[in-house]
Amino acid sequence: MSNVETNLIKPFPVAFSGHTLKYEIECICKIFLPMRKFTFLYDTTQLPADAEEGAVLILEQLGEQSRFWVQVQYRGQVMEQEQQFPACSPETEKQLCEYRFSAMLFRLLEEITDLHPAWGLLTGIRPVKKVQPLLGQGLFKAEVCEKLHEKYWIAPEKLSLVYDTAMVQQPLLEKTPKHGISLYVSIPFCPTRCSYCSFVSHSIAQAQNLIPAYLEKLCEELKIWGQLVREQELLVDTVYFGGGTPTSLTAAQLEQVLTAVQENFDLSHLREYCVEAGRPDTITSEKLETLRRFGVDRISVNPQTMQDHVLETIGRKHTTAQTVEAFRMARAAGFENINMDLIAGLPDDTPEGFHDTLEQILALDPDSITVHALTLKRAANLFAEGEQQVHNPVEQMVQESMRRLPEHGYAPYYMYRQKNTIDNQENVGYARAGKESLYNILIMDESQSIFGAGCGASTKLVEPCGRITRIHNYKFPYEYIRQFDQLMQKKEQVREICERIREQEAEK
Ligand code: SF4
């Protein structure tokens, strides 16, 4: 895509009549007008008579038929489309009605903006989940791609990407143990805050006084989770330390948390123990040795870019030389599964710069490489004017990674789309065979419960019937510390759901 809309001032009005199907309609509008705000009107008479732009979506029931009518007005052009189908009701056939409106609106916006989004009508964040049921029917690649293309109008290169990802995941997901859970441990501190950061992370210098109390509560929560895991006879399948930057803690502090994990959980069935070390400037051989001693077998060393001037622009206080040094230290410490994260579309980066970054990363030969596309939310903090995003070469960069990483033996193994990435791109993890992160796959597949410990962490409980319950911890360390007892009362809810899961499993 190119020529991204940059008029940030006026909200784009979207009016409905005969239905209130807002969710998918809004997603479709955002694909084409990512920088705009929208106003939704549930009565077309509220649309100002002199409105210069907007969309109208009307559903009328005409006896045996339902009439769908969509009009889009944009940049001096007005386009409309009408279709009639056998009678369908937005109350009882919500998905079908939503799909019909989405498809009509998509085609009109495509024509009026001359943008052709590669993911077509698919707006969800987990595209792989659309492939898995088709694989379950025993369909081959061509058939899967044809079906997805027919329904969502996805471009061939994205179809191939999503199919290949699903094929790598399938055998790994089949080995997911019964009664398995993953444990997520949140360390929400970073040495400094990167300018594009949209997470809740806290500068280690500012949070220094809070850290001992935070770690004490975190270890207490791990103890409570440990009791629950034992009581419910669950099996810890993967452990993931994320943040933030877990290695912004000292080696002794890391040891405190690793000990709490070791003492409270049976790790003998663990398939993966991952610590997202993250920023190269926080990695020391002492910390690496501590992680190895506790059985951590996968870490991330995240350069984001190997261009020093880009690092400076985004406020990362380290150099590419430090990244190389941290990577070599990790290898020397015995890590045989190292991931490196990159971001396509950073300010001051160019296709040539991104190409060079890939070259440098490939020369280091990490076991997996994750390529993220910069999100507009993050970009908004980085670029003074939305106008500059029009020329952002993120699509070119993402395409280069899609082409070159498989050439070097890396296969896509997990992916997700975020709302509002520049040019509607996706984030993809590539790995050498056998080096895929199971936690990343499981979190996207939503087939295993995840117990989250620490502030900002969330617990996701997956029931065999398909129901998913999410329970969120407080976002900020001071809330987590002060309201810890209150927070722990929510574990009762977890216990009840775990018992329900057991009952459903027994009935199977
Ligand atoms: S290292 Fe990651 S979490 Fe920390 S400030 Fe930078 S982007 Fe945010």
Side-chain angles (χ1 to χ4, degrees), residues 26-76:
E26 183 174 9
C27 292
I28 297 290
C29 289
K30 279 185 173 166
I31 293 174
F32 291 91
L33 309 170
M35 300 297 286
R36 293 294 286 272
K37 288 204 162 47
F38 300 91
T39 42
F40 293 93
L41 310 165
Y42 295 94
D43 177 355
T44 47
T45 59
Q46 289 174 356
L47 203 62
D50 59 350
E52 288 173 359
E53 51 181 20
V56 180
L57 298 101
I58 296 174
L59 177 57
E60 276 180 324
Q61 303 300 345
L62 308 169
E64 305 273 286
Q65 295 282 297
S66 290
R67 174 179 173 260
F68 289 72
W69 185 80
V70 181
Q71 185 189 69
V72 177
Q73 189 173 353
Y74 182 68
R75 290 191 173 163

Side-chain angles (χ1 to χ4, degrees), residues 26 113 129 181 223 233 236 240 258 266 307 335 349 381 449 505:
E26 183 174 9
T113 59
K129 288 190 102 172
I181 59 126
K223 191 171 174 189
E233 296 175 0
V236 185
Y240 192 98
L258 291 159
D266 172 5
Q307 308 305 301
F335 283 97
D349 206 358
N381 302 332
S449 295
E505 277 171 350

Side-chain angles (χ1 to χ4, degrees), residues 286-428:
E286 190 191 6
K287 292 179 200 177
L288 291 166
E289 184 275 321
T290 305
L291 298 177
R292 289 291 300 151
R293 196 152 38 84
F294 282 85
V296 174
D297 56 13
R298 180 180 187 269
I299 60 164
S300 273
V301 177
N302 298 334
Q304 315 302 14
T305 170
M306 293 298 270
Q307 308 305 301
D308 278 332
H309 68 284
V310 180
L311 284 172
E312 205 172 310
T313 306
I314 62 174
R316 301 264 289 197
K317 307 274 182 232
H318 65 87
T319 60
T320 55
Q322 278 174 293
T323 301
V324 173
E325 174 62 17
F327 182 87
R328 294 205 170 122
M329 268 197 293
R331 279 283 191 242
F335 283 97
E336 290 173 3
N337 194 348
I338 307 177
N339 172 68
M340 299 188 97
D341 271 10
L342 299 177
I343 300 179
L346 287 170
D348 284 352
D349 206 358
T350 59
E352 296 72 34
F354 188 77
H355 173 88
D356 180 66
T357 292
L358 279 182
E359 285 292 316
Q360 292 194 51
I361 296 297
L362 288 168
L364 288 172
D365 197 24
D367 305 282
S368 60
I369 299 172
T370 310
V371 182
H372 298 266
L374 190 69
T375 63
L376 288 166
K377 193 170 153 199
R378 292 174 177 194
N381 302 332
L382 289 168
F383 296 96
E385 297 293 332
E387 197 66 41
Q388 293 185 40
Q389 290 164 39
V390 172
H391 307 296
N392 195 308
V394 66
E395 185 177 7
Q396 207 177 329
M397 296 173 175
V398 166
Q399 278 185 349
E400 181 173 8
S401 59
M402 271 169 71
R403 194 180 62 251
R404 296 199 56 226
L405 296 180
E407 279 170 13
H408 287 262
Y410 297 91
Y413 78 93
Y414 99 111
M415 64 180 306
Y416 64 100
R417 297 176 63 211
Q418 275 170 294
K419 296 215 182 308
N420 295 339
T421 49
I422 295 177
D423 274 358
N424 193 26
Q425 296 295 327
E426 63 285 339
N427 301 319
V428 184

Side-chain angles (χ1 to χ4, degrees), residues 77-330:
Q77 291 187 75
V78 183
M79 288 187 186
E80 59 184 58
Q81 210 189 91
E82 179 188 326
Q83 285 188 29
Q84 291 201 14
F85 299 96
C88 55
S89 145
E91 280 80 38
T92 53
E93 290 150 292
K94 184 170 177 276
Q95 275 186 347
L96 179 66
C97 294
E98 215 165 19
Y99 176 78
R100 285 175 175 164
F101 268 133
S102 300
M104 291 168 73
L105 180 65
F106 185 94
R107 283 295 190 226
L108 290 176
L109 284 168
E110 222 183 0
E111 206 174 331
I112 215 161
T113 59
D114 197 27
L115 298 175
H116 304 282
W119 282 104
L121 277 177
L122 192 68
T123 56
I125 63 168
R126 297 179 168 86
V128 178
K129 288 190 102 172
K130 300 285 181 202
V131 179
Q132 284 156 345
L134 299 174
L135 291 180
Q137 292 169 23
L139 299 186
F140 292 115
K141 182 170 184 174
E143 297 164 311
V144 169
C145 293
E146 195 185 321
K147 281 199 179 291
L148 291 178
H149 179 73
E150 252 173 35
K151 182 158 187 194
Y152 298 108
W153 311 333
I154 303 171
E157 74 274 14
K158 300 294 185 197
L159 285 170
S160 220
L161 177 71
V162 72
Y163 176 86
D164 293 348
T165 307
M167 288 304 284
V168 173
Q169 289 188 2
Q170 199 183 30
L172 297 168
L173 286 168
E174 279 167 7
K175 287 188 196 140
T176 306
K178 212 174 166 201
H179 308 307
I181 59 126
S182 285
L183 175 69
Y184 176 81
V185 182
S186 171
I187 309 291
F189 308 107
C190 287
T192 55
R193 195 172 165 83
C194 307
S195 54
Y196 62 86
C197 183
S198 61
F199 300 109
V200 179
S201 74
H202 309 272
S203 135
I204 199 103
Q206 284 170 2
Q208 204 57 255
N209 296 336
L210 283 179
I211 291 176
Y214 177 75
L215 296 182
E216 196 183 306
K217 294 295 181 198
L218 176 63
C219 293
E220 219 175 297
E221 188 177 8
L222 287 167
K223 191 171 174 189
I224 293 169
W225 275 134
Q227 279 163 356
L228 197 73
V229 165
R230 282 194 301 280
E231 175 195 306
Q232 297 292 324
E233 296 175 0
L234 300 170
L235 187 148
V236 185
D237 188 25
T238 79
V239 177
Y240 192 98
F241 279 42
T245 303
T247 43
S248 50
L249 297 181
T250 63
Q253 289 165 338
L254 276 172
E255 179 152 355
Q256 186 185 348
V257 186
L258 291 159
T259 304
V261 172
Q262 191 178 56
E263 285 178 349
N264 291 296
F265 298 90
D266 172 5
L267 301 179
S268 59
H269 300 282
L270 207 59
R271 287 195 295 164
E272 176 177 288
Y273 198 159
C274 178
V275 172
E276 196 176 356
R279 298 257 291 256
D281 46 342
T282 61
I283 297 171
T284 64
S285 41
E286 190 191 6
K287 292 179 200 177
L288 291 166
E289 184 275 321
T290 305
L291 298 177
R292 289 291 300 151
R293 196 152 38 84
F294 282 85
V296 174
D297 56 13
R298 180 180 187 269
I299 60 164
S300 273
V301 177
N302 298 334
Q304 315 302 14
T305 170
M306 293 298 270
Q307 308 305 301
D308 278 332
H309 68 284
V310 180
L311 284 172
E312 205 172 310
T313 306
I314 62 174
R316 301 264 289 197
K317 307 274 182 232
H318 65 87
T319 60
T320 55
Q322 278 174 293
T323 301
V324 173
E325 174 62 17
F327 182 87
R328 294 205 170 122
M329 268 197 293

